[in-house]
Amino acid sequence: MKGNGATIEYAEKCIEHYQKLVDRETFCAELNKKLGNFFLYMYEEWTSMGMPIYDEIVEQLKPVMEGYCSGKKLTDYLEDPTLCVYAPQESGIGYGIECDCPWEPEHKCLMIVRDDALLYVGPSNGLDAWCKDDEYYCIWND
């Protein structure tokens, strides 16, 4: 947040909004669906590469796949969440949640929220809550 133009008051609003997400059933269902799409896409990518350098990642993902297939939520596999508060560019609230993620170990997982909409779930790649809608496109959601 430092140096991006967001105020402490705005950051506190984002934190309050973030803390209430767990109570929003529709939001949580959409998050789980998009995380599933992202995970399945990356799992296929890692396993189809067939290169020994990626074998360790594939091995680490096997328990995740087993858990996913048995109904475990993929949010259980995300670690060290960081709330990314972006300077407001329009009315409302916009922030990201960046987590360590076993199926995207290099780029982490980023979830972008604007007001009550989940705009993006994918690798952390410089997007923020105020990008154009087409910038949030992910092939795994098709």
Side-chain angles (χ1 to χ4, degrees):
M1 181 182 92
K2 186 175 180 180
N4 76 358
T7 64
I8 295 294
E9 293 79 19
Y10 177 73
E12 288 172 347
K13 286 181 185 179
C14 291
I15 292 166
E16 182 180 337
H17 189 272
Y18 167 74
Q19 290 174 332
K20 292 179 181 177
L21 288 179
V22 72
D23 298 327
R24 296 184 178 161
E25 197 171 305
T26 303
F27 181 91
C28 291
E30 183 180 6
L31 174 61
N32 285 317
K33 180 178 186 246
K34 288 185 176 185
L35 277 173
N37 293 345
F38 180 38
F39 167 66
L40 293 172
Y41 179 85
M42 292 305 298
Y43 186 83
E44 178 63 30
E45 288 293 302
W46 291 121
T47 57
S48 69
M49 288 186 190
M51 298 172 63
I53 192 170
Y54 299 117
D55 289 346
E56 184 177 330
I57 293 172
V58 172
E59 283 303 310
Q60 291 174 350
L61 290 180
K62 286 181 180 178
V64 178
M65 179 58 88
E66 290 170 9
Y68 176 75
C69 290
S70 70
K72 189 171 180 181
K73 292 180 180 179
L74 289 171
T75 53
D76 293 344
Y77 297 99
L78 301 177
E79 297 180 341
D80 196 25
T82 301
L83 188 67
C84 305
V85 177
Y86 312 113
Q89 295 185 8
E90 40 186 90
S91 64
I93 290 178
Y95 56 89
I97 307 156
E98 186 179 68
C99 303
D100 289 336
C101 172
W103 57 92
E104 184 51 280
E106 183 178 342
H107 298 106
K108 299 187 175 195
C109 177
L110 177 65
M111 297 154 278
I112 296 179
V113 178
R114 184 185 315 143
D115 296 319
D116 292 328
L118 179 61
L119 302 176
Y120 175 82
V121 175
S124 188
N125 59 5
L127 295 174
D128 67 35
W130 311 112
C131 293
K132 296 178 185 170
D133 288 343
D134 63 338
E135 293 179 76
Y136 301 123
Y137 170 78
C138 298
I139 193 169
W140 45 88
N141 288 323
D142 286 343

